[in-house]
Amino acid sequence: MLISIDFNSSEAIYVQLCDQIIYLIANDDLKEGDSLPSVRDLAEAIGINMHTVNKAYGILRQEGYVKLDRRHGAVVSLECNKSAEIQNLKNELRNVVARASCRGITRGDLRNIVDSLYDELETKMKKKVE
């Protein structure tokens, strides 16, 4: 599992870790049922505190991306309430749209960005199948 942390970023390390694990799931590098590294192993591999990894795993559990199992540790689990997830995304996107509007980025620009991001994921998925 390839994770890289930008220690100079203003974004919290646990947020970077969560985002990268979600991206690995979306990119099909991690699949339903795959085990994540132990808290200790991942912390050592990245060079961060174990509590930071534990916090990230806890957030991923709360958001429905992983299950925490005493025997197997953190395991990818994509069970979710779709309507609740849509509402969560709507709340997150509200801020993105507001920032874009303040910067003169149009609705069409945002649609193009979203389409290109989906295309990027789909292209990576197709390459893995081939």
Side-chain angles (χ1 to χ4, degrees), residues 19-77:
D19 288 348
Q20 288 189 40
I21 290 172
I22 291 168
Y23 187 79
L24 290 170
I25 294 168
N27 201 27
D28 215 27
D29 289 324
L30 289 172
K31 297 173 180 48
E32 179 94 24
D34 285 352
S35 292
L36 297 177
S38 72
V39 169
R40 181 178 310 243
D41 289 345
L42 187 55
E44 287 177 6
I46 300 173
I48 61 176
N49 189 295
M50 288 181 8
H51 296 292
T52 304
V53 176
N54 198 44
K55 182 172 185 172
Y57 280 7
I59 290 169
L60 291 169
R61 181 190 58 75
Q62 287 175 334
E63 293 180 356
Y65 293 100
V66 300
K67 287 183 185 174
L68 298 180
D69 182 301
R70 293 194 189 279
R71 293 174 291 153
H72 303 289
V75 177
V76 175
S77 172

Side-chain angles (χ1 to χ4, degrees), residues 101-119:
S101 177
C102 289
R103 301 290 189 224
I105 297 170
T106 67
R107 179 187 304 240
D109 292 336
L110 279 177
R111 283 187 183 133
N112 290 337
I113 291 167
V114 170
D115 287 344
S116 70
L117 291 172
Y118 267 104
D119 291 345

Side-chain angles (χ1 to χ4, degrees), residues 85-109:
E85 186 59 26
I86 288 171
Q87 187 58 46
N88 289 338
L89 288 172
K90 185 177 178 181
N91 291 337
E92 289 181 36
L93 288 172
R94 182 174 285 115
N95 294 329
V96 170
V97 170
R99 287 196 333 254
S101 177
C102 289
R103 301 290 189 224
I105 297 170
T106 67
R107 179 187 304 240
D109 292 336

